[in-house]
Amino acid sequence: MDAAAVSSQLPLEGGSNYYVKLRGQTSQMSNLLVEYHTVSPEYFRAMGIRLLEGRNFEAADVRSVQAIDALYEKLPEGGSLPPAEADGMISPAVINETMARAFWPNRTSLGQMFSQGNDHGPWKQVIGVVGDVRQWGLAHQPVPEAYEPFTLNDRLFLVLHTARLPLSLTPEVRRALAQTDPSLPLFSVRTMDQVIGENAQSQKFLSLLVGSFAGLAVLLAAVGIYGVLSYAVTERTREIGIRMSLGASRGRVLAQVILEGMRLAAVGFAVGIAGALAAGRILASLLHEVKPRDPVIFAVTAGFLALVALVACYLPARRAAGLDPATALRYE
């Protein structure tokens, strides 16, 4: 086992939030919403979250938070500390890079302080900055987030990082928990791959639905092009016979019919690209880590549709090029 930690929440499964007040900022900077999680010092290593600046939590940080919590537990219900005393209390916090950029742009966030919506403390001081994590799902962008040292929570997530098969550790973990406290239950054991899979179920269904409709649309477009050109060839059978009688080669007839069909397809491409650009924001909610306006995707899609259109045009064009001039001239 490489690392073990506890957390109040797992990535992709939501979290809790509160409004913060930045120390030294004007009133216009108040009421800033921040996601927060309580974690043990090994959490970032266990989850593979990169430390970008500063340092991680240490045992001393946990003890300082425990001391502040103990002080507040002694207060009567609804009571509060004097502002001067609360203002002097400082506990450590690690924030994500989105919060660092949003709240302290163009300067370091290390050493900055914020409180849980109060003009006076207790204050939380930034000791480190870590990489962003999608807490609310694959389709949701990271939001400002603060991590605090874990002290006590009714429902905990135990996270393990190991080179072994993760689920093979379940019996060992159960025995270790039973030795620590027999009343501790262990349930909902999952790997992060399973968590990601559960979160992506709705996106997979929507992607499958959209893909099915897209495939049906391509099929209908191909049938439509084929039908229109077949009808056009039938109506122009006599004209084609005259052209071939006057010396037009079969290759020229084939190319002309295909060109006419591809002109129709080109109009469809233009309308389709315009519609895809307009619907880019809607598509972005269905595509994880894929840019809906990626030029590579547009080029590949246009190439595939052009190939489908070419095949749909070739079939009636080949029939037109295969006409016998004498028979075509007698066609009514």
Side-chain angles (χ1 to χ4, degrees), residues 271-291:
V271 175
I273 290 175
L277 290 173
R281 291 186 178 181
I282 299 175
L283 293 175
S285 64
L286 303 177
L287 304 173
H288 173 56
E289 295 296 333
V290 176
K291 298 178 181 178

Side-chain angles (χ1 to χ4, degrees), residues 96-233:
N96 68 345
E97 54 185 325
T98 294
M99 182 173 175
R101 287 195 304 265
F103 292 0
W104 298 282
N106 304 319
R107 56 176 170 159
T108 181
S109 57
L110 296 180
Q112 303 292 343
M113 297 189 189
F114 60 94
S115 69
Q116 193 168 332
N118 299 319
D119 290 317
H120 300 284
W123 297 97
K124 306 177 193 300
Q125 186 175 40
V126 179
I127 63 169
V129 179
V130 296
D132 288 333
V133 176
R134 295 176 187 265
Q135 300 291 359
W136 286 95
L138 295 173
H140 295 266
Q141 294 299 317
V143 298
E145 184 176 8
Y147 298 89
E148 302 174 17
F150 159 78
T151 54
L152 183 62
N153 197 301
D154 294 333
R155 184 171 183 263
L156 294 175
F157 290 92
L158 174 64
V159 294
L160 305 176
H161 185 277
T162 177
R164 295 168 52 184
L165 290 175
L167 295 180
S168 68
L169 291 173
T170 304
E172 297 179 29
V173 174
R174 289 188 186 278
R175 286 194 296 270
L177 287 177
Q179 293 172 0
T180 303
D181 185 347
S183 66
L184 289 177
L186 179 65
F187 59 95
S188 187
V189 180
R190 296 169 293 168
T191 65
M192 279 307 299
D193 287 339
Q194 290 174 323
V195 174
I196 294 172
E198 292 170 3
N199 185 265
Q201 283 299 321
S202 60
Q203 286 188 314
K204 288 180 180 178
F205 174 75
L206 290 174
S207 298
L208 179 62
L209 188 63
V210 172
S212 300
F213 280 115
L216 181 60
V218 170
L219 178 62
L220 291 176
V223 172
I225 293 174
Y226 173 81
V228 169
L229 285 185
S230 294
Y231 178 76
V233 168

